[in-house]
Amino acid sequence: DAKTTQPNSMESNEEEPVHLPCNHSTISGTDYIHWYRQLPSQGPEYVIHGLTSNVNNRMASLAIAEDRKSSTLILHRATLRDAAVYYCILRANYGGSQGNLIFGKGTKLSVKP
Amino acid sequence: EAQVTQNPRYLITVTGKKLTVTCSQNMNHEYMSWYRQDPGLGLRQIYYSMNVEVTDKGDVPEGYKVSRKEKRNFPLILESPSPNQTSLYFCASSLAGALPRELFFGEGSRLTVL
């Protein structure tokens, strides 16, 4: 199964942009890139996902490399509430392989006031 | 309100005493899955189900059973719990089909096996 590699931790200052990297060198052509985050004492929550093109939503932006072997989650202005563990996962777009998801350890983002 | 509900949220039990953690979703999702989260190990998938009566092993299925008799429910069964199953458990659901859909997670069930 395709896996992702993320830094264990990152720090940011409040109101500054944050770029969270993810490497997925074994990604297949039909894998979507998903990002989730887990706030303290909560279940993970969806942030954003994409296939090839960059994506924007109200929470974040997702920049996907042209060869799709890496991606970056961008928080445009970090707030204290963005302190969380961020997970980058790959999800196949068909059949049973949609089901087996590998989350890993994610990146713990700390935000300083 | 769209949600994934897990019960119990907290449980302390003893080795060998069978227990079931229930998971229910009200979004008519085909896909449901269970994860355990342990310090330093991240989220690991236990079992998943693509639809009713269809279940598959994830990465750490040993010591667990699941069933999917109805679309909304996906219980996790520990037939003979052991201390190494002490963990924080999450259930998740999503639509399935040709395009991947976002996962919705429950609030978690913290299990302690003595």
Side-chain angles (χ1 to χ4, degrees), chain B residues 62-81:
Chain B
E62 296 79 19
Y64 304 94
K65 285 175 57 176
V66 292
S67 69
R68 188 87 183 275
K69 295 187 172 66
E70 309 164 276
K71 200 171 188 180
R72 64 182 295 126
N73 296 323
F74 190 45
L76 180 69
I77 303 156
L78 286 72
E79 293 270 4
S80 182

Side-chain angles (χ1 to χ4, degrees), chain A residues 52-74:
Chain A
T52 55
S53 304
N54 295 344
V55 184
N56 300 296
N57 67 20
R58 62 175 179 82
M59 289 181 73
S61 295
L62 176 60
I64 301 172
E66 199 169 330
D67 63 5
R68 298 205 334 120
K69 293 186 176 181
S70 66
S71 61
T72 302
L73 179 71
I74 302 166

Side-chain angles (χ1 to χ4, degrees), chain A residues 36 38 91 93 98-100, chain B residues 31 37 45 97-98 101 103:
Chain A
Y36 291 80
Q38 186 174 20
R91 192 168 191 194
N93 75 339
Q98 277 191 42
N100 184 221
Chain B
Y31 175 84
Q37 187 170 40
Q45 191 180 51
R101 305 285 191 240
L103 285 164

Side-chain angles (χ1 to χ4, degrees), chain A:
Chain A
D1 296 310
K3 292 185 178 178
T4 61
T5 305
Q6 300 176 252
N8 289 333
S9 61
M10 290 185 66
E11 274 191 358
S12 171
N13 294 318
E14 197 175 11
E15 298 191 3
E16 289 185 356
V18 181
H19 291 232
L20 296 163
C22 180
N23 287 320
H24 27 79
S25 57
T26 59
I27 190 170
S28 77
T30 54
D31 284 340
Y32 278 74
I33 302 157
H34 281 234
W35 283 81
Y36 291 80
R37 72 179 186 180
Q38 186 174 20
L39 302 171
S41 303
Q42 294 188 24
E45 64 176 351
Y46 168 82
V47 177
I48 200 167
H49 77 273
L51 183 63
T52 55
S53 304
N54 295 344
V55 184
N56 300 296
N57 67 20
R58 62 175 179 82
M59 289 181 73
S61 295
L62 176 60
I64 301 172
E66 199 169 330
D67 63 5
R68 298 205 334 120
K69 293 186 176 181
S70 66
S71 61
T72 302
L73 179 71
I74 302 166
L75 307 179
H76 295 286
R77 288 185 63 192
T79 69
L80 297 178
R81 291 185 301 170
D82 291 323
V85 177
Y86 287 79
Y87 297 96
C88 164
I89 69 167
L90 302 180
R91 192 168 191 194
N93 75 339
Y94 65 91
S97 51
Q98 277 191 42
N100 184 221
L101 303 179
I102 301 173
F103 273 78
K105 301 176 188 179
T107 297
K108 183 174 183 178
L109 175 66
S110 303
V111 180
K112 295 183 289 184

